[in-house]
């Protein structure tokens, strides 16, 4: 994959390492465009996002994949330095995913943007910051208070640099999805957010680049997360309310030695209003955060869906997982 040189004859695949190379690769390209933002170490979960992007743009469209381990979303002491960086394998994987049975690229163009921190933040630490608001202060935000501001900073910048019609985001990071949807809505960013379902290993473990940190024994303990979600889903199927769904999931996690639970919550998937009376610093239905205001503006109606979300430490690895459930 090489950097595109001429906007008149754009390469069908291009690797851009600088803003100038990206601008040159996208110049004059008015085909439908979707972006998939990643931190690399790509797995099938990412490739599902890429496939969904390809479906959206069609055979002549452009898929842009960004690969950037964003320092702003890591707090001191988190795994910024250890985070896997596998650019060559990522490029091979992307080419394979977007190659059709005939051996040709299945979309019009694939542009990969893989900047360094200096390219992404050429003036050093950004002066103008995004405040992602109350959604970013609960659950993940409570444990990682600067995380979503860092995510918003890079996501908005990458939206400006890549100018997509669609941006794909995985449901695995459900709170990130909610924060990004709220940012796009509140800042009138002309990009449509497309959620993509969680990809799981055959034993149920949600795919994550951080799974690579788990030892064999830890990987066994980690399966308690998906089992807890299944217990919650099973309870929901019998008509259990949010509190009972949460209790069913909590019970599975509590029974697993080697799993240190950070939280188990049932929340509104858009507003993260607490539906299960769990405390955890969440707003409850009687408090000011209103789902119709904070959540999807599409219909404004309160959803009967809940999001059962869990986070736990297995050894030194922090894992999150979630599932949507129907509530009475
Ligand atoms: O989900 C991720 O991998 C990251 O948070 C994102 C959206 C690429 C921003 O760095």
């Amino acid at each position: 994959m090489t950097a595109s040189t001429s906007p008149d004859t754009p390469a069908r695949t291009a690797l851009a390492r600088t803003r100038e190379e990206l601008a040159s690769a996208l110049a004059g390209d008015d085909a439908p465009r979707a972006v998939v933002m990643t931190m690399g170490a790509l797995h099938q979960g990412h490739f599902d996002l890429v496939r969904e992007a390809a479906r959206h743009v069609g055979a002549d469209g452009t898929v842009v994949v960004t690969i950037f381990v964003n320092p702003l979303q890591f707090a001191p002491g988190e795994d910024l330095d250890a985070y896997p960086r596998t650019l060559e394998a990522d490029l091979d994987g992307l080419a394979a995913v977007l190659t059709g049975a005939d051996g040709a690229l299945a979309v019009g163009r694939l542009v990969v943007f893989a900047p360094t921190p200096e390219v992404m933040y050429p003036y050093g630490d950004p002066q103008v910051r995004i405040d992602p608001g109350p959604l970013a202060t609960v659950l993940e935000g409570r444990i990682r208070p600067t995380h979503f501001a860092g995510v918003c900073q890079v996501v908005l910048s990458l939206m400006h640099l890549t100018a997509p019609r669609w941006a794909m985001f995985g449901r695995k990071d459900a709170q990130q999805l909610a924060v990004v949807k709220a940012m796009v809505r509140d800042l009138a960013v002309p990009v449509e957010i497309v959620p993509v379902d969680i990809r799981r290993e055959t034993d149920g473990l949600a795919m994550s680049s951080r799974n690579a940190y788990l030892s064999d024994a830890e990987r066994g303990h980690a399966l308690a997360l998906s089992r807890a979600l299944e217990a919650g889903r099973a309870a929901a199927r019998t008509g259990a309310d949010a509190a009972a769904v949460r209790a069913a999931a909590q019970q599975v996690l509590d029974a697993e030695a080697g799993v240190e639970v950070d939280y188990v919550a049932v929340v509104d998937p858009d507003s993260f209003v607490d539906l299960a009376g769990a405390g955890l610093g969440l707003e409850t239905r009687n408090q000011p955060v209103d789902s119709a205001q904070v959540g999807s503006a599409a219909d404004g109606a309160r959803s009967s869906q809940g999001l059962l979300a869990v986070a736990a430490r297995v050894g030194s690895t922090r894992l999150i997982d979630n599932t949507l459930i129907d509530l009475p």
Side-chain angles (χ1 to χ4, degrees):
M1 222 177 255
T2 52
S4 173
T5 46
S6 161
D8 297 331
T9 54
R12 295 212 39 210
T13 61
L15 169 61
R17 306 301 301 257
T18 65
R19 290 176 178 226
E20 294 70 27
E21 287 173 358
L22 178 66
S24 160
L26 295 178
D29 179 348
D30 54 9
R33 184 183 302 162
V35 67
V36 176
M37 298 178 191
T38 79
M39 299 206 299
L42 303 183
H43 51 66
Q44 287 303 326
H46 295 113
F47 295 144
D48 284 349
L49 302 181
V50 173
R51 288 186 195 97
E52 194 58 40
R55 263 193 293 278
H56 273 72
V57 302
D60 297 325
T62 298
V63 172
V64 181
V65 177
T66 70
I67 298 179
F68 177 60
V69 183
N70 173 34
L72 292 188
Q73 67 190 75
F74 290 78
E78 290 188 347
D79 58 343
L80 173 62
D81 294 335
Y83 201 88
R85 289 159 172 86
T86 57
L87 184 61
E88 287 309 316
D90 292 347
L91 297 178
D92 291 347
L94 288 170
V97 165
L98 287 178
T99 299
D102 57 358
L105 197 65
V107 289
R109 305 184 60 221
L110 165 64
V111 176
V112 178
F113 180 45
T116 58
E118 291 70 31
V119 166
M120 222 31 241
Y121 303 115
Y123 308 104
D125 263 4
Q127 286 182 43
V128 176
R129 300 289 186 138
I130 297 169
D131 176 357
L135 261 177
T137 63
V138 297
L139 300 186
E140 287 306 293
R142 208 169 188 211
I143 287 153
R144 308 179 73 191
T146 57
H147 175 67
F148 290 114
V151 169
C152 286
Q153 194 83 30
V154 80
V155 166
L156 188 61
S157 303
L158 288 170
M159 282 178 176
H160 288 139
L161 290 169
T162 61
R165 173 164 166 200
W166 301 280
M168 280 52 204
F169 282 87
R171 291 192 191 277
K172 162 92 178 357
D173 294 303
Q175 197 170 353
Q176 169 172 282
L177 173 63
V179 168
V180 169
K181 277 165 80 177
M183 177 183 74
V184 162
R185 182 202 59 206
D186 291 349
L187 299 182
V189 185
V191 175
E192 191 182 318
I193 304 302
V194 180
V196 176
D197 286 345
I198 297 175
R199 172 68 86 115
R200 297 183 180 280
E201 306 283 359
T202 47
D203 57 11
L205 185 67
M207 286 194 186
S208 162
S209 306
R210 290 191 168 99
N211 291 351
Y213 301 152
L214 297 169
S215 69
D216 286 350
E218 288 169 345
R219 205 182 170 296
H221 295 312
L223 295 180
L225 274 78
S226 52
R227 279 207 319 274
L229 298 181
E230 184 43 46
R233 271 195 301 271
R237 280 195 293 274
T238 67
D241 66 6
V245 166
R246 175 175 182 268
Q250 180 91 50
Q251 199 177 22
V252 172
L253 290 171
D254 289 347
E256 181 75 27
V259 171
E260 197 186 318
V261 181
D262 271 345
Y263 60 76
V264 181
V266 181
V267 295
D268 177 280
D270 288 313
S271 67
F272 275 62
V273 163
D274 185 11
L275 303 180
L280 299 169
L282 292 163
E283 303 282 357
T284 68
R285 281 200 158 157
N286 300 324
Q287 288 178 298
V289 175
D290 176 355
S291 175
Q293 296 296 316
V294 180
S296 157
D299 56 13
R302 188 179 296 285
S303 161
S304 64
Q305 273 199 322
L307 180 82
L308 170 59
V310 298
R313 275 168 215 282
V314 179
S316 57
T317 307
R318 191 162 179 283
L319 299 172
I320 58 173
D321 201 350
N322 69 80
T323 186
L324 289 168
I325 45 165
D326 290 324
L327 290 171

